[in-house]
Amino acid sequence: MTPPTIRRRRTRTAKLVVTGPFDAGKTTLIGTITDSTVLSTERTVTHAGDQGSERTTVAMDFGRLGVDPDMALFLFGTPGQERFGFMWNILAEGMLGFVLVVDAARPDSITEAAQLRRRFTESNQVPHVIAINKVAEDDDHAEVLARVRAELEVGRDVPVLIADARDREDVRQVLLAFLRHVLEQVRSGADVDREAGEVG
Ligand SMILES: Nc1nc2c(ncn2[C@@H]2O[C@H](COP(=O)(O)OP(=O)(O)OP(=O)(O)O)[C@@H](O)[C@H]2O)c(=O)[nH]1
Ligand SMILES: [Mg+2]
C-alpha cells in the first residue's frame, strides 16, 4: 500500500490534555467529540478479587477536533492509573490547558482529582475546566457542583460543569467553556503559558 502524501496544512493547533482519576471517563470523552479517536492505548485489566475485567488507558488517547477550517484542537488523554503517571509530564508538555474529568459516583475520584489538579497547576498557571461525569439523574445538580467545587478548592474563575462524557453536546459545552476561559484569561492579562507543562 502506498503511504499517504504528507501535506503541511496551515491550520493553527492547540493541545488540550484530558486528565482525571482512574475510570472517570477520559477516553470516552475524547471518543465522543473527535471524529475518530486516532489512537487509543487501552488494555484489559483484571483486578485482584474482582470477577470482571475492564479496559484502561496505559499510555495515551489521541484525537483531533476541527474547530473551524483554520483551527484544530489536539486532545490528549492521560492514563488514570498512578502507575502510568510517568506519561503525565510527557503529555502535559506544551499544552494550552486541560480538562479534569471527575467521576461523581465515586467519592475517591473527587479526592484523587483534587490531588491531580494540584499537580497539574503547581508550577504554572494553566487554564483548565472541571467536567463532572456520571452524575445520576436524580442527583441534585446544584449540590454536586457545590460539593466538587469545595472539595477541589477551585476559585470562581474556574468553570465547573456537569457533563455526560457520552453526550456530544455536553462535551462540546465543556470544550467551549475551556476556550472561553482561555480567552478571558488572555483578555485579563493573565500569563497564559503555551509551554505550561511541568507536572509536579
Ligand atoms: N454512566 C456513565 N458511564 C460512563 C460515562 N462515561 C464513561 N462511562 C463508563 O465508565 C467506564 C470508564 O470509562 P473510560 O472512558 O474508559 O474512563 P477512563 O477515565 O479513560 O479510564 P482509565 O483510562 O482507566 O483511567 C466505561 O465503562 C465507560 O463506558 C458516563 O458519562 N456515564
Ligand atoms: Mg482511558
Side-chain angles (χ1 to χ4, degrees):
M1 206 173 81
T2 319
T5 309
I6 298 171
R7 284 176 298 140
R8 185 166 174 271
R9 297 160 84 171
R10 297 201 177 273
T11 319
R12 280 173 301 140
T13 59
K15 176 178 179 180
L16 179 59
V17 168
V18 178
T19 192
F22 173 61
D23 207 44
K26 304 174 291 293
T27 300
T28 304
L29 185 145
I30 292 177
T32 297
I33 198 69
T34 52
D35 300 329
S36 59
T37 301
V38 181
L39 173 74
S40 178
T41 59
E42 288 194 299
R43 296 288 180 272
T44 303
V45 281
T46 319
H47 298 291
D50 197 345
Q51 292 296 315
S53 64
E54 55 200 51
R55 310 277 293 166
T56 193
T57 302
V58 296
M60 62 187 274
D61 304 299
F62 173 71
R64 180 186 185 282
L65 172 67
V67 177
D68 64 38
D70 301 322
M71 177 161 188
L73 282 180
F74 288 160
L75 275 74
F76 288 80
T78 67
Q81 293 189 47
E82 181 85 39
R83 65 194 165 113
F84 303 120
F86 62 90
M87 283 300 297
W88 296 342
N89 244 327
I90 296 169
L91 295 176
E93 197 177 336
M95 68 179 168
L96 180 60
F98 64 93
V99 174
L100 180 65
V101 185
V102 187
D103 176 349
R106 196 169 63 86
D108 280 359
S109 183
I110 304 176
T111 315
E112 287 163 32
Q115 286 166 3
L116 257 178
R117 179 173 172 269
R118 276 194 291 275
R119 291 175 73 165
F120 269 80
T121 53
E122 208 151 59
S123 57
N124 298 83
Q125 189 183 357
V126 193
H128 60 286
V129 296
I130 321 278
I132 312 174
N133 194 23
K134 304 193 193 183
V135 175
E137 264 181 32
D138 53 358
D139 279 349
D140 176 347
H141 284 198
E143 186 276 328
V144 173
L145 284 166
R147 180 157 44 88
V148 172
R149 267 196 181 280
E151 289 200 33
L152 266 61
E153 297 175 350
V154 288
R156 281 278 129 211
D157 56 320
V158 177
V160 182
L161 294 90
I162 288 175
D164 185 325
R166 300 163 301 179
D167 184 294
R168 198 175 165 86
E169 181 54 29
D170 276 15
V171 176
R172 205 174 74 87
Q173 290 303 328
V174 169
L175 298 186
L176 282 174
F178 173 77
L179 292 173
R180 272 189 226 110
H181 177 58
V182 172
L183 276 178
E184 272 163 28
Q185 293 218 322
V186 170
R187 285 196 189 120
S188 71
D191 180 21
V192 175
D193 181 0
R194 274 196 67 115
E195 295 304 318
E198 275 291 298
V199 181

